[in-house]
């Protein structure tokens, strides 16, 4: 009975849990103790039932949504920035990216060029810039401006 | 592809080429006078509305030149008194042109922008004995 109190807790141990001396002692005790052998049989039967039940429960469980959820969270957490995406696209499709960037640039340059060469800015076609030491009188008429020089000391002689 | 490139190139270059083309300019030297009977030289009839605003009552055309002006390149028109008027087409945009009239003897520089239908009448001398010289400038006459 004293040996049963020592060895029964060791029954059901997993491989490696017991020292060689403990394992040898346990085997020797089980050889001579019918009560402990019956206890060992119960333990093994119970472990087998639990293992089978766990496997069945795991097999019934659908882990696909769980995996999808994890992947979604990973994707959201690691969404690359604009620069990273551009760099990746430039690395993968350099010609396409450069061409795509040139299109708006060329369009903007063309629009600017056309605008700078259009006559729209000259809607007021009577723009006058005068630089004179004396004074100048300007008469605006429907046929165009008349510019008159005021007589001064340096007047025509 | 080559045709498309050529078309794009032409589209970009044509406005520049057009801007660099010569600008025909009609320049007339006229004289206005306060003395004598009121009279308008028949050759100046198209200027009647502009000249009619001035105090001079007798108008005569003294000279006329047809110039083919290149942008930024100055051409000179000689006046009867020996002085010169420097004319420069500074800029052309569509139907408008900016013309610079410089009078060295008067230290005067006028930059005038007009459209195709308009002309400039510019006094180019001081009044002497009741008379003064003017030039009229019209692009694409």
């Amino acid at each position: 009975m004293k040996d049963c109190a020592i060895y029964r807790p060791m029954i059901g141990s997993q491989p490696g849990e017991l020292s060689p001396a403990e394992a040898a002692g346990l085997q020797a005790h089980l050889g001579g103790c019918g009560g402990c052998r019956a206890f060992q049989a119960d333990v093994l039967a119970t472990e087998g039932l639990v293992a089978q039940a766990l496997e069945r429960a795991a097999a019934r469980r659908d882990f696909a949504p769980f995996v999808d959820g994890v992947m979604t969270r990973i994707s959201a957490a690691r969404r690359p920035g604009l620069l990273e995406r551009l760099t990746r696209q430039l690395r993968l499709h350099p010609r396409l990216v450069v061409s795509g960037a040139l299109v708006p640039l060329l369009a903007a340059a063309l629009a600017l060029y056309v605008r700078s060469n259009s006559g729209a800015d000259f809607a007021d076609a009577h723009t006058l810039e005068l630089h004179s030491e004396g004074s100048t009188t300007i008469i605006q008429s429907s046929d165009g401006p008349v510019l008159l020089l005021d007589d001064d000391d340096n007047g025509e002689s | 592809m080559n045709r498309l490139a050529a078309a794009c190139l032409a589209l970009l270059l044509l406005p520049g080429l057009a801007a660099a083309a010569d600008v025909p300019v009609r320049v007339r030297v006229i004289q206005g006078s306060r003395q004598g009977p009121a009279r308008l030289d028949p050759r100046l009839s198209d200027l009647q509305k502009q000249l009619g605003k001035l105090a001079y009552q007798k108008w005569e055309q003294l000279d006329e030149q047809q110039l083919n002006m290149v942008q930024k390149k100055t051409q000179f028109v000689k006046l009867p008194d020996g002085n010169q008027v420097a004319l420069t087409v500074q800029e052309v945009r569509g139907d408008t042109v900016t013309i610079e009239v410089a009078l060295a003897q008067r230290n005067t520089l006028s930059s005038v922008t007009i459209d195709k239908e308009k002309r400039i009448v510019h006094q180019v001398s001081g009044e002497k004995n009741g008379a003064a010289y003017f030039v009229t400038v019209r692009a694409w006459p």
Side-chain angles (χ1 to χ4, degrees), chain A residues 98-121:
Chain A
V98 171
S99 302
L102 281 178
V103 168
L105 282 176
L106 285 175
L110 183 61
L112 190 64
Y113 183 81
V114 170
R115 179 178 166 75
S116 68
N117 282 280
S118 70
D121 292 338

Side-chain angles (χ1 to χ4, degrees), chain A residues 37-114:
Chain A
R37 283 200 300 274
F39 179 74
Q40 183 186 37
D42 289 344
V43 168
L44 291 175
T46 303
E47 284 182 347
L49 290 173
V50 170
Q52 289 174 5
L54 286 174
E55 285 177 359
R56 284 198 301 272
R60 284 197 302 270
R61 177 74 182 270
D62 182 8
F63 282 89
F66 173 77
V67 173
D68 291 341
V70 171
M71 293 307 295
T72 301
R73 287 197 298 275
I74 291 174
S75 299
R78 290 200 67 259
R79 182 179 176 80
L82 178 62
L83 185 60
E84 186 180 349
R85 278 181 285 161
L86 282 175
T87 306
R88 184 169 181 272
Q89 290 297 323
L90 184 61
R91 192 170 58 247
L92 295 176
H93 313 288
R95 289 182 181 175
L96 189 63
V97 171
V98 171
S99 302
L102 281 178
V103 168
L105 282 176
L106 285 175
L110 183 61
L112 190 64
Y113 183 81
V114 170

Side-chain angles (χ1 to χ4, degrees), chain B residues 1-137:
Chain B
M1 186 63 186
N2 287 336
R3 287 182 182 177
L4 181 63
C8 291
L9 191 62
L11 188 67
L12 291 173
L13 293 180
L14 276 177
L17 291 175
D22 291 357
V23 179
V25 177
R26 181 187 188 190
V27 181
R28 288 183 279 181
V29 179
I30 63 178
Q31 183 182 40
S33 176
R34 300 178 190 273
Q35 300 174 348
R39 180 179 180 273
L40 179 68
D41 189 324
R43 292 173 293 180
L44 302 176
S45 58
D46 58 314
L47 295 171
Q48 186 172 9
K49 280 165 57 178
Q50 279 173 295
L51 300 180
K53 296 174 181 292
L54 306 180
Y56 301 96
Q57 58 189 18
K58 182 181 176 184
W59 291 97
E60 285 184 277
Q61 178 171 313
L62 306 178
D63 188 24
E64 176 171 346
Q65 298 182 34
Q66 303 286 343
L67 305 177
N68 279 323
M69 301 194 70
V70 178
Q71 281 190 59
K72 309 286 185 183
K73 189 171 181 180
T74 301
Q75 293 202 32
F76 296 90
V77 175
K78 196 166 185 178
L79 301 177
D81 61 6
N83 288 319
Q84 289 186 323
V85 178
L87 299 174
T88 309
V89 172
Q90 288 290 358
E91 193 172 15
V92 177
R93 288 190 187 182
D95 286 345
T96 63
V97 60
T98 299
I99 297 176
E100 194 175 84
V101 181
L103 309 171
Q105 70 275 13
R106 306 250 332 168
N107 201 17
T108 299
L109 180 66
S110 307
S111 180
V112 185
T113 300
I114 56 174
D115 63 27
K116 202 169 188 175
E117 309 300 324
K118 304 289 170 48
R119 60 184 69 79
I120 302 166
V121 175
H122 197 308
Q123 185 179 353
V124 291
S125 75
E127 185 175 324
K128 182 181 179 183
N129 299 325
Y133 296 123
F134 294 76
V135 294
T136 74
V137 182

